């Protein structure tokens, strides 16, 4: 055998061994380790789906098979992902909650009215989400009996899709695009931190005094009570109609969750007491690489040497429905400032638009916020925009409208990076004052940079954290090791009511024993004194 032939055989053997080693150490590339995942996003809000869109796309990039039930199927413009399959819930464009919130409908009302308006809106959206169990694509998926290794499902205002999880009989991960909802806190037996963290449906600011802590705790209990009755009864009714009476209570099914991803971070909302399977992944939607800005926007920002105010109230709010008086205030104030304004506006034009203002129907928000000339973000407190503002280190003016926007804005204000403007108390003077503070008070900018540094400083990125935990559960880990035992405990055991009852009984017994001892002592003393008195009286009679 010649030297060249020997060398060729040696190199061939070396290549085979290297390839085998590579496959052994790359679980994504191994066919056996490919995870088959069903992802369920039944809510029609774009902002909800887009929080975890980069996460499910990255799972597909790594070779996992994704079947995604949502209102937002991929288009030709999106990156081609061969292992990503859509089941679309959108029959027409109007099915999607995009630019649907009419600002004319938000009038000054009481706290109680606003609170129950949020509950009513959640109930309405719950009915839309549950009807998706009748979607032809979903029904076909069920009928085909397709098998999956793992289910990702949004935890928001309904649990009716727990019926599908039950039918599949596989591990599942809950996903929340915001702080845990009050009923999730109760169902997963999470720590009740109502003493220092405002609930997601309230407009309570931090720090809370006794009155607001009472209101906050009451909001938690009332919300949970409404959900466990009206919401849950309706969920169970539609599940029974579609799958029959054999499906257990959907809230009970949900207690078997392996991991719960929540789109928060302690640097913003404060430290909460979570068990090991509740994972904070705030900022998971933020891409590590920024994209070049469109040429016209880049030119507008580059020339704004005095600074830029970025104004965007999110994807659901239709900015062009703002009342005329409030629009006039915005235009008047924007025209008078020596800075530029870039504004998300759904129509082609605004009457009397100032020369220092650019309007666009769509804006690449995160890329704009990272431009060095952007000095203020004027938003609504939605968690996507707020976390992008925090990540970018830009101070904010926040004008919450509904939902969790109030608690998000309150958290940012408490951290010293934002000023809250009340939409129903929106005046020229207050807008000028807020802008003056953000642009001229250096404390806001300094606080924003410090918060940004802490928010970004993590062992791994939110995306990598979520992927690791997903693969961890898919590898057969989960429930026995990470789930809190509190989930299966009766409420009186979890809150040590029975233990405290024993303490009370022992305390009462101790008091009773003390009472008997003291009573006996007093009686003994009194008998002794009485006996002494009689003895003295007898002695006195004998002397007489």
């Amino acid at each position: 055998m010649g030297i060249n032939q020997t060398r060729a055989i040696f190199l061939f053997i070396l290549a085979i061994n290297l390839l085998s080693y590579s496959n052994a150490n790359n679980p994504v590339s191994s066919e056996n380790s490919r995870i088959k995942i069903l992802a369920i996003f039944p809510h029609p809000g774009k902002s909800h789906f887009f929080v975890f869109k980069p996460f499910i796309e990255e799972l597909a990039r790594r070779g996992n098979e994704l079947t995604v039930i949502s209102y937002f199927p991929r288009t030709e413009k999106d990156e081609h992902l061969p292992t990503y399959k859509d089941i679309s819930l959108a029959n027409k464009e109007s099915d999607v909650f995009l630019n649907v919130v009419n600002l004319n409908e938000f009038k000054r009302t009481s706290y109680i009215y606003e609170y129950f308006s949020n509950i009513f809106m959640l109930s309405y959206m719950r009915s839309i989400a549950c009807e998706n169990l009748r979607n032809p694509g979903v029904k076909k998926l069920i009928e085909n009996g397709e098998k999956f290794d793992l289910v990702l499902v949004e935890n928001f205002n309904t649990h009716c899709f727990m019926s599908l999880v039950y039918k599949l009989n596989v591990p599942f991960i809950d996903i929340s695009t915001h702080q845990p909802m009050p009923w999730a806190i109760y169902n997963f037996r999470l720590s009740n931190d109502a003493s220092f963290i405002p609930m997601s449906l309230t407009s309570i600011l931090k720090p809370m005094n006794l009155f607001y802590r009472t209101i906050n705790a009451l909001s938690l209990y009332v919300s949970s009570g409404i959900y466990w009755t009206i919401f849950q009864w309706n969920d169970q009714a539609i599940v029974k109609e579609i799958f029959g009476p054999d499906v257990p209570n959907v809230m009970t099914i949900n207690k078997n969750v392996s991991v719960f991803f929540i789109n928060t971070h302690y640097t913003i909302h404060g430290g909460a007491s979570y068990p090991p399977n509740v994972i904070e992944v705030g900022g998971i939607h933020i891409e590590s690489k920024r994209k070049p800005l469109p040429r016209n926007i880049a030119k507008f920002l580059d020339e704004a040497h005095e600074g830029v105010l970025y104004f965007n109230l999110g994807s659901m709010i239709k900015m062009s429905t703002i009342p005329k008086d409030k629009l006039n205030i915005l235009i008047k104030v924007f025209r008078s400032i020596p800075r530029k304004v870039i504004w998300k506006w759904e129509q082609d034009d605004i009457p009397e638009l100032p020369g220092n203002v650019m309007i666009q129907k769509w804006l690449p928000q995160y890329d704009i916020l990272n431009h060095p000339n952007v000095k203020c973000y004027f938003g609504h407190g939605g968690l996507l925009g707020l976390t992008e503002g925090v990540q970018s280190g830009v101070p904010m003016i926040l004008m919450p409208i509904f939902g969790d926007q109030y608690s998000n804005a309150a958290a940012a204000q408490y951290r010293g990076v934002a000023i809250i403007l009340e939409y129903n108390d929106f005046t020229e003077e207050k807008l000028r004052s807020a802008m003056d503070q953000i642009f001229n008070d250096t404390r806001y900018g300094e606080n924003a940079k410090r918060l940004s540094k802490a928010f970004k400083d993590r062992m791994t990125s939110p995306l990598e954290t979520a992927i690791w935990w997903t693969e961890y559960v898919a590898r057969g880990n989960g429930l026995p090791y990470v789930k809190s035992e509190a989930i299966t405990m009766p409420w009186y055991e979890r809150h040590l009511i029975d233990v405290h009852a024993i303490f009370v009984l022992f305390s009462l017994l101790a008091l009773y024993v003390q009472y008997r001892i003291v009573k006996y002592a007093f009686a003994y003393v009194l008998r002794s004194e009485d006996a002494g008195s009689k003895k003295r009286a007898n002695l006195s009679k004998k002397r007489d």
Side-chain angles (χ1 to χ4, degrees):
M1 185 181 292
I3 295 176
N4 290 336
Q5 190 176 2
T6 303
R7 184 181 298 170
I9 293 173
F10 174 76
L11 290 174
F12 176 76
I13 294 172
L14 179 62
I16 291 295
N17 279 282
L18 287 174
L19 184 60
S20 300
Y21 178 80
S22 174
N23 285 336
N25 288 276
N26 184 5
V28 172
S29 64
S30 172
E31 186 68 28
N32 293 331
S33 64
R34 177 181 289 182
I35 309 169
K36 194 170 183 181
I37 301 171
L38 175 64
I40 306 171
F41 296 92
H43 180 64
K46 180 179 179 181
S47 57
H48 280 238
F49 179 75
F50 275 58
V51 170
F52 283 92
K53 181 185 176 186
F55 166 56
I56 56 178
E57 287 179 338
E58 184 61 26
L59 285 171
R61 283 191 200 97
R62 299 190 182 196
N64 301 301
E65 294 183 40
L66 271 290
T67 300
V68 182
I69 300 173
S70 80
Y71 281 85
F72 305 94
R74 299 178 68 75
T75 65
E76 293 180 357
K77 296 180 181 179
D78 292 317
E79 172 191 356
H80 176 62
L81 297 172
T83 60
Y84 187 116
K85 182 177 74 174
D86 280 302
I87 296 178
S88 177
L89 302 175
N91 296 317
K92 52 186 183 299
E93 189 175 340
S94 59
D95 288 343
V96 175
F97 285 3
L98 186 63
N99 298 325
V100 294
V101 176
N102 188 335
L103 289 173
N104 269 302
E105 296 176 357
F106 289 86
K107 309 294 182 184
R108 183 190 298 274
T109 54
S110 66
Y111 171 83
I112 294 176
Y113 179 85
E114 289 179 356
Y115 172 79
F116 282 101
S117 293
N118 279 327
I119 294 291
F120 176 79
M121 181 171 63
L122 287 171
S123 178
Y124 167 70
M125 293 187 294
R126 181 213 65 80
S127 62
I128 293 174
C130 281
E131 281 300 315
N132 288 320
L133 282 171
R134 307 183 197 273
N135 179 276
V138 175
K139 291 174 69 176
K140 184 178 179 182
L141 177 77
I142 298 169
E143 292 167 359
N144 288 346
E146 191 170 351
K147 303 296 183 182
F148 293 92
D149 302 313
L150 180 70
V151 176
L152 306 173
V153 60
E154 183 177 8
N155 183 310
F156 180 39
N157 59 345
T158 178
H159 286 84
C160 55
F161 271 87
M162 283 295 103
S163 56
L164 182 53
V165 171
Y166 174 77
K167 290 290 184 182
L168 292 171
N169 192 28
V170 293
F172 66 97
I173 293 174
D174 266 15
I175 290 174
S176 175
T177 60
H178 37 68
Q179 287 177 276
M181 299 300 279
W183 39 88
I185 292 173
Y186 180 83
N187 199 40
F188 294 149
R189 306 298 192 260
L190 305 182
S191 176
N192 179 355
D193 295 323
S195 58
F196 60 95
I197 296 181
M199 292 297 102
S200 58
L201 298 177
T202 68
S203 55
I204 297 172
L205 302 180
K206 297 171 69 175
M208 296 181 283
N209 58 24
L210 175 60
F211 174 76
Y212 284 112
R213 281 187 284 117
T214 304
I215 295 297
N216 197 43
L218 190 61
S219 299
L220 173 66
Y221 301 142
V222 170
S223 301
S224 298
I226 292 173
Y227 191 89
W228 274 83
T229 52
I230 299 172
F231 282 61
Q232 195 269 326
W233 291 342
N234 283 292
D235 280 0
Q236 206 67 38
I238 193 170
V239 166
K240 183 178 179 180
E241 181 183 341
I242 294 173
F243 294 106
D246 296 333
V247 177
N249 184 293
V250 290
M251 297 294 281
T252 303
I253 299 170
N254 192 230
K255 288 182 179 180
N256 291 316
V257 65
S258 292
V259 169
F260 185 24
F261 292 144
I262 52 176
N263 184 36
T264 61
H265 193 254
Y266 58 85
T267 55
I268 300 176
H269 289 96
S273 305
Y274 292 135
N277 66 332
V278 178
I279 313 299
E280 289 192 306
V281 290
I284 190 172
H285 71 286
I286 299 175
E287 297 182 7
S288 57
K289 294 181 180 179
R290 295 192 291 273
K291 300 173 184 175
L293 289 166
R295 190 171 300 176
N296 62 329
I297 295 177
K299 184 175 184 297
F300 183 82
L301 297 178
D302 290 342
E303 294 174 352
H305 304 297
E306 298 298 323
V308 177
L309 180 143
Y310 171 65
F311 186 22
N312 190 338
L313 296 187
S315 61
M316 286 185 66
I317 295 172
K318 191 172 185 179
M319 191 67 217
S320 55
T321 62
I322 190 169
K324 183 69 174 177
D325 59 329
K326 288 182 169 58
L327 177 61
N328 289 338
I329 290 172
L330 290 168
I331 291 175
K332 183 177 180 180
V333 172
F334 290 164
R335 178 181 287 113
S336 66
I337 62 175
R339 298 175 177 89
K340 291 189 175 184
V341 177
I342 184 164
W343 183 356
K344 183 239 176 188
W345 183 265
E346 302 82 22
Q347 298 180 354
D348 293 325
D349 196 12
I350 298 178
E352 302 178 5
L353 183 69
N356 64 327
V357 178
M358 169 187 278
I359 59 169
Q360 296 281 300
K361 294 181 180 179
W362 174 86
L363 291 165
Q365 180 162 280
Y366 183 60
D367 301 315
I368 289 175
L369 287 171
N370 277 277
H371 193 283
N373 289 341
V374 174
K375 305 299 182 184
C376 175
Y377 168 35
F378 189 173
H380 63 320
L383 207 45
L384 271 80
L386 189 142
T387 51
E388 288 172 5
V390 169
Q391 175 99 355
S392 306
V394 177
M396 295 169 269
I397 298 172
L398 299 174
M399 188 166 63
I401 307 295
F402 61 87
D404 67 332
Q405 296 164 12
Y406 296 100
S407 56
N408 298 333
Q413 178 173 269
Y414 185 71
R415 294 302 189 197
V417 300
I419 295 172
I420 295 177
L421 279 182
E422 291 288 344
Y423 174 75
N424 286 314
D425 193 22
F426 179 66
T427 64
E428 179 182 339
E429 292 74 22
K430 290 183 177 180
L431 177 58
R432 287 188 187 279
S433 174
M435 291 175 62
D436 180 64
Q437 290 181 71
I438 293 295
F439 277 104
N440 298 317
D441 188 339
T442 57
R443 290 178 299 177
Y444 287 97
E446 291 167 358
N447 290 339
K449 298 299 182 188
R450 278 196 294 269
L451 180 59
S452 175
K453 181 176 180 293
F455 180 74
K456 293 185 290 188
D457 194 359
R458 314 186 200 185
M459 288 186 289
T460 58
S461 71
L463 181 61
E464 288 298 329
T465 300
I467 288 174
W468 187 89
W469 276 101
T470 301
E471 294 175 345
Y472 176 84
V473 173
R475 288 194 296 266
N477 305 304
L479 281 178
Y481 311 110
V482 296
K483 189 175 76 169
S484 170
E485 294 179 9
I487 290 181
T488 57
M489 294 176 68
W491 64 272
Y492 56 86
E493 288 185 6
R494 181 164 47 90
H495 293 291
L496 295 176
I497 301 299
D498 50 351
V499 174
H500 288 118
I502 296 296
F503 289 162
V504 170
L505 287 174
F506 272 110
S507 298
L508 291 174
L509 181 61
L511 286 172
Y512 177 74
V513 171
Q514 292 175 37
Y515 164 74
R516 296 295 298 178
I517 292 172
V518 171
K519 183 179 179 181
Y520 176 81
F522 270 106
Y524 178 80
V525 170
L526 289 173
R527 282 198 302 271
S528 298
E529 289 181 354
D530 188 47
S533 297
K534 288 180 179 179
K535 187 175 182 181
R536 285 192 296 271
N538 291 332
L539 288 172
S540 178
K541 286 179 181 180
K542 286 180 181 180
R543 290 191 188 120
D544 293 339

